[in-house]
PDB file of all heavy atoms in Angstrom:
ATOM      1  N   ILE A 176      -5.553   7.097 -26.104  1.00 85.00           N
ATOM      2  CA  ILE A 176      -4.869   5.799 -26.191  1.00 85.00           C
ATOM      3  C   ILE A 176      -4.620   5.229 -24.797  1.00 85.00           C
ATOM      4  O   ILE A 176      -4.850   4.042 -24.549  1.00 85.00           O
ATOM      5  CB  ILE A 176      -3.545   5.946 -26.968  1.00 85.00           C
ATOM      6  CG1 ILE A 176      -3.833   6.287 -28.428  1.00 85.00           C
ATOM      7  CG2 ILE A 176      -2.709   4.679 -26.870  1.00 85.00           C
ATOM      8  CD1 ILE A 176      -2.599   6.664 -29.209  1.00 85.00           C
ATOM      9  N   ILE A 177      -4.155   6.091 -23.870  1.00 84.00           N
ATOM     10  CA  ILE A 177      -3.903   5.606 -22.500  1.00 84.00           C
ATOM     11  C   ILE A 177      -5.198   5.137 -21.854  1.00 84.00           C
ATOM     12  O   ILE A 177      -5.257   4.073 -21.238  1.00 84.00           O
ATOM     13  CB  ILE A 177      -3.239   6.718 -21.664  1.00 84.00           C
ATOM     14  CG1 ILE A 177      -1.837   7.011 -22.194  1.00 84.00           C
ATOM     15  CG2 ILE A 177      -3.182   6.320 -20.195  1.00 84.00           C
ATOM     16  CD1 ILE A 177      -1.165   8.179 -21.504  1.00 84.00           C
ATOM     17  N   TRP A 178      -6.264   5.942 -22.009  1.00 86.00           N
ATOM     18  CA  TRP A 178      -7.521   5.655 -21.312  1.00 86.00           C
ATOM     19  C   TRP A 178      -8.255   4.443 -21.900  1.00 86.00           C
ATOM     20  O   TRP A 178      -8.780   3.605 -21.160  1.00 86.00           O
ATOM     21  CB  TRP A 178      -8.407   6.901 -21.359  1.00 86.00           C
ATOM     22  CG  TRP A 178      -9.722   6.737 -20.670  1.00 86.00           C
ATOM     23  CD1 TRP A 178     -10.949   6.560 -21.251  1.00 86.00           C
ATOM     24  CD2 TRP A 178      -9.951   6.706 -19.257  1.00 86.00           C
ATOM     25  NE1 TRP A 178     -11.919   6.431 -20.299  1.00 86.00           N
ATOM     26  CE2 TRP A 178     -11.338   6.514 -19.069  1.00 86.00           C
ATOM     27  CE3 TRP A 178      -9.109   6.836 -18.140  1.00 86.00           C
ATOM     28  CZ2 TRP A 178     -11.898   6.442 -17.790  1.00 86.00           C
ATOM     29  CZ3 TRP A 178      -9.682   6.757 -16.872  1.00 86.00           C
ATOM     30  CH2 TRP A 178     -11.049   6.564 -16.708  1.00 86.00           C
ATOM     31  N   ARG A 179      -8.290   4.336 -23.235  1.00 84.00           N
ATOM     32  CA  ARG A 179      -9.136   3.327 -23.867  1.00 84.00           C
ATOM     33  C   ARG A 179      -8.383   2.104 -24.374  1.00 84.00           C
ATOM     34  O   ARG A 179      -9.004   1.093 -24.710  1.00 84.00           O
ATOM     35  CB  ARG A 179      -9.900   3.966 -25.031  1.00 84.00           C
ATOM     36  CG  ARG A 179     -10.743   5.159 -24.604  1.00 84.00           C
ATOM     37  CD  ARG A 179     -11.640   5.649 -25.701  1.00 84.00           C
ATOM     38  NE  ARG A 179     -12.645   4.656 -26.059  1.00 84.00           N
ATOM     39  CZ  ARG A 179     -13.633   4.889 -26.923  1.00 84.00           C
ATOM     40  NH1 ARG A 179     -13.729   6.074 -27.486  1.00 84.00           N
ATOM     41  NH2 ARG A 179     -14.499   3.944 -27.213  1.00 84.00           N
ATOM     42  N   VAL A 180      -7.043   2.193 -24.453  1.00 84.00           N
ATOM     43  CA  VAL A 180      -6.275   1.048 -24.969  1.00 84.00           C
ATOM     44  C   VAL A 180      -5.321   0.483 -23.912  1.00 84.00           C
ATOM     45  O   VAL A 180      -5.325  -0.726 -23.640  1.00 84.00           O
ATOM     46  CB  VAL A 180      -5.472   1.461 -26.231  1.00 84.00           C
ATOM     47  CG1 VAL A 180      -4.655   0.283 -26.760  1.00 84.00           C
ATOM     48  CG2 VAL A 180      -6.411   1.989 -27.310  1.00 84.00           C
ATOM     49  N   ILE A 181      -4.518   1.377 -23.311  1.00 85.00           N
ATOM     50  CA  ILE A 181      -3.486   0.895 -22.394  1.00 85.00           C
ATOM     51  C   ILE A 181      -4.092   0.439 -21.061  1.00 85.00           C
ATOM     52  O   ILE A 181      -3.789  -0.660 -20.569  1.00 85.00           O
ATOM     53  CB  ILE A 181      -2.433   1.996 -22.157  1.00 85.00           C
ATOM     54  CG1 ILE A 181      -1.770   2.388 -23.486  1.00 85.00           C
ATOM     55  CG2 ILE A 181      -1.387   1.512 -21.165  1.00 85.00           C
ATOM     56  CD1 ILE A 181      -1.062   1.265 -24.179  1.00 85.00           C
ATOM     57  N   LEU A 182      -4.924   1.278 -20.449  1.00 85.00           N
ATOM     58  CA  LEU A 182      -5.455   0.939 -19.122  1.00 85.00           C
ATOM     59  C   LEU A 182      -6.207  -0.399 -19.087  1.00 85.00           C
ATOM     60  O   LEU A 182      -5.996  -1.192 -18.161  1.00 85.00           O
ATOM     61  CB  LEU A 182      -6.356   2.070 -18.604  1.00 85.00           C
ATOM     62  CG  LEU A 182      -5.661   3.397 -18.277  1.00 85.00           C
ATOM     63  CD1 LEU A 182      -6.642   4.367 -17.619  1.00 85.00           C
ATOM     64  CD2 LEU A 182      -4.476   3.168 -17.350  1.00 85.00           C
ATOM     65  N   PRO A 183      -7.087  -0.704 -20.052  1.00 84.00           N
ATOM     66  CA  PRO A 183      -7.759  -2.023 -19.989  1.00 84.00           C
ATOM     67  C   PRO A 183      -6.790  -3.206 -20.068  1.00 84.00           C
ATOM     68  O   PRO A 183      -7.097  -4.283 -19.547  1.00 84.00           O
ATOM     69  CB  PRO A 183      -8.687  -1.980 -21.213  1.00 84.00           C
ATOM     70  CG  PRO A 183      -8.936  -0.540 -21.463  1.00 84.00           C
ATOM     71  CD  PRO A 183      -7.639   0.133 -21.129  1.00 84.00           C
ATOM     72  N   ASN A 184      -5.628  -3.005 -20.698  1.00 83.00           N
ATOM     73  CA  ASN A 184      -4.668  -4.108 -20.843  1.00 83.00           C
ATOM     74  C   ASN A 184      -3.757  -4.277 -19.631  1.00 83.00           C
ATOM     75  O   ASN A 184      -3.052  -5.288 -19.534  1.00 83.00           O
ATOM     76  CB  ASN A 184      -3.805  -3.883 -22.094  1.00 83.00           C
ATOM     77  CG  ASN A 184      -4.544  -4.214 -23.374  1.00 83.00           C
ATOM     78  OD1 ASN A 184      -4.742  -5.375 -23.704  1.00 83.00           O
ATOM     79  ND2 ASN A 184      -4.983  -3.190 -24.078  1.00 83.00           N
ATOM     80  N   ILE A 185      -3.707  -3.279 -18.746  1.00 84.00           N
ATOM     81  CA  ILE A 185      -2.866  -3.410 -17.545  1.00 84.00           C
ATOM     82  C   ILE A 185      -3.731  -3.330 -16.288  1.00 84.00           C
ATOM     83  O   ILE A 185      -3.262  -2.923 -15.234  1.00 84.00           O
ATOM     84  CB  ILE A 185      -1.762  -2.324 -17.504  1.00 84.00           C
ATOM     85  CG1 ILE A 185      -2.376  -0.919 -17.498  1.00 84.00           C
ATOM     86  CG2 ILE A 185      -0.814  -2.468 -18.673  1.00 84.00           C
ATOM     87  CD1 ILE A 185      -1.354   0.155 -17.206  1.00 84.00           C
ATOM     88  N   ARG A 186      -4.994  -3.739 -16.408  1.00 81.00           N
ATOM     89  CA  ARG A 186      -5.922  -3.628 -15.280  1.00 81.00           C
ATOM     90  C   ARG A 186      -5.437  -4.433 -14.061  1.00 81.00           C
ATOM     91  O   ARG A 186      -5.489  -3.952 -12.936  1.00 81.00           O
ATOM     92  CB  ARG A 186      -7.304  -4.116 -15.705  1.00 81.00           C
ATOM     93  CG  ARG A 186      -8.383  -3.834 -14.665  1.00 81.00           C
ATOM     94  CD  ARG A 186      -9.726  -4.372 -15.122  1.00 81.00           C
ATOM     95  NE  ARG A 186     -10.136  -3.734 -16.363  1.00 81.00           N
ATOM     96  CZ  ARG A 186     -10.450  -4.392 -17.474  1.00 81.00           C
ATOM     97  NH1 ARG A 186     -10.380  -5.702 -17.493  1.00 81.00           N
ATOM     98  NH2 ARG A 186     -10.828  -3.752 -18.555  1.00 81.00           N
ATOM     99  N   SER A 187      -4.946  -5.644 -14.304  1.00 80.00           N
ATOM    100  CA  SER A 187      -4.509  -6.472 -13.169  1.00 80.00           C
ATOM    101  C   SER A 187      -3.291  -5.867 -12.479  1.00 80.00           C
ATOM    102  O   SER A 187      -3.174  -5.900 -11.251  1.00 80.00           O
ATOM    103  CB  SER A 187      -4.197  -7.896 -13.642  1.00 80.00           C
ATOM    104  OG  SER A 187      -3.163  -7.867 -14.610  1.00 80.00           O
ATOM    105  N   ALA A 188      -2.361  -5.279 -13.276  1.00 83.00           N
ATOM    106  CA  ALA A 188      -1.187  -4.629 -12.679  1.00 83.00           C
ATOM    107  C   ALA A 188      -1.603  -3.416 -11.857  1.00 83.00           C
ATOM    108  O   ALA A 188      -1.058  -3.165 -10.772  1.00 83.00           O
ATOM    109  CB  ALA A 188      -0.214  -4.213 -13.781  1.00 83.00           C
ATOM    110  N   MET A 189      -2.580  -2.665 -12.346  1.00 85.00           N
ATOM    111  CA  MET A 189      -3.064  -1.500 -11.606  1.00 85.00           C
ATOM    112  C   MET A 189      -3.734  -1.924 -10.294  1.00 85.00           C
ATOM    113  O   MET A 189      -3.549  -1.281  -9.251  1.00 85.00           O
ATOM    114  CB  MET A 189      -4.042  -0.707 -12.462  1.00 85.00           C
ATOM    115  CG  MET A 189      -3.403  -0.028 -13.667  1.00 85.00           C
ATOM    116  SD  MET A 189      -4.612   0.794 -14.710  1.00 85.00           S
ATOM    117  CE  MET A 189      -5.247   2.040 -13.600  1.00 85.00           C
ATOM    118  N   LEU A 190      -4.496  -3.012 -10.355  1.00 84.00           N
ATOM    119  CA  LEU A 190      -5.150  -3.483  -9.125  1.00 84.00           C
ATOM    120  C   LEU A 190      -4.122  -3.969  -8.111  1.00 84.00           C
ATOM    121  O   LEU A 190      -4.275  -3.739  -6.905  1.00 84.00           O
ATOM    122  CB  LEU A 190      -6.141  -4.602  -9.466  1.00 84.00           C
ATOM    123  CG  LEU A 190      -7.418  -4.156 -10.183  1.00 84.00           C
ATOM    124  CD1 LEU A 190      -8.235  -5.365 -10.608  1.00 84.00           C
ATOM    125  CD2 LEU A 190      -8.253  -3.268  -9.268  1.00 84.00           C
ATOM    126  N   SER A 191      -3.062  -4.631  -8.589  1.00 82.00           N
ATOM    127  CA  SER A 191      -2.000  -5.063  -7.658  1.00 82.00           C
ATOM    128  C   SER A 191      -1.367  -3.861  -6.985  1.00 82.00           C
ATOM    129  O   SER A 191      -1.179  -3.841  -5.760  1.00 82.00           O
ATOM    130  CB  SER A 191      -0.938  -5.856  -8.429  1.00 82.00           C
ATOM    131  OG  SER A 191      -1.486  -7.021  -8.978  1.00 82.00           O
ATOM    132  N   GLY A 192      -1.029  -2.821  -7.773  1.00 85.00           N
ATOM    133  CA  GLY A 192      -0.462  -1.610  -7.187  1.00 85.00           C
ATOM    134  C   GLY A 192      -1.424  -0.931  -6.231  1.00 85.00           C
ATOM    135  O   GLY A 192      -1.017  -0.405  -5.190  1.00 85.00           O
ATOM    136  N   ALA A 193      -2.715  -0.958  -6.568  1.00 86.00           N
ATOM    137  CA  ALA A 193      -3.709  -0.310  -5.715  1.00 86.00           C
ATOM    138  C   ALA A 193      -3.834  -1.020  -4.365  1.00 86.00           C
ATOM    139  O   ALA A 193      -3.884  -0.364  -3.311  1.00 86.00           O
ATOM    140  CB  ALA A 193      -5.062  -0.293  -6.421  1.00 86.00           C
ATOM    141  N   PHE A 194      -3.860  -2.351  -4.367  1.00 84.00           N
ATOM    142  CA  PHE A 194      -3.995  -3.073  -3.106  1.00 84.00           C
ATOM    143  C   PHE A 194      -2.740  -2.944  -2.248  1.00 84.00           C
ATOM    144  O   PHE A 194      -2.828  -2.870  -1.018  1.00 84.00           O
ATOM    145  CB  PHE A 194      -4.308  -4.547  -3.378  1.00 84.00           C
ATOM    146  CG  PHE A 194      -5.739  -4.778  -3.772  1.00 84.00           C
ATOM    147  CD1 PHE A 194      -6.042  -5.328  -4.994  1.00 84.00           C
ATOM    148  CD2 PHE A 194      -6.775  -4.423  -2.931  1.00 84.00           C
ATOM    149  CE1 PHE A 194      -7.355  -5.532  -5.378  1.00 84.00           C
ATOM    150  CE2 PHE A 194      -8.100  -4.624  -3.300  1.00 84.00           C
ATOM    151  CZ  PHE A 194      -8.393  -5.179  -4.526  1.00 84.00           C
TER     152      PHE A 194
END
Side-chain angles (χ1 to χ4, degrees):
I176 293 171
I177 293 175
W178 180 256
R179 303 189 65 174
V180 179
I181 300 300
L182 293 187
N184 283 285
I185 60 170
R186 189 182 299 125
S187 60
M189 292 176 63
L190 288 173
S191 297
F194 283 120

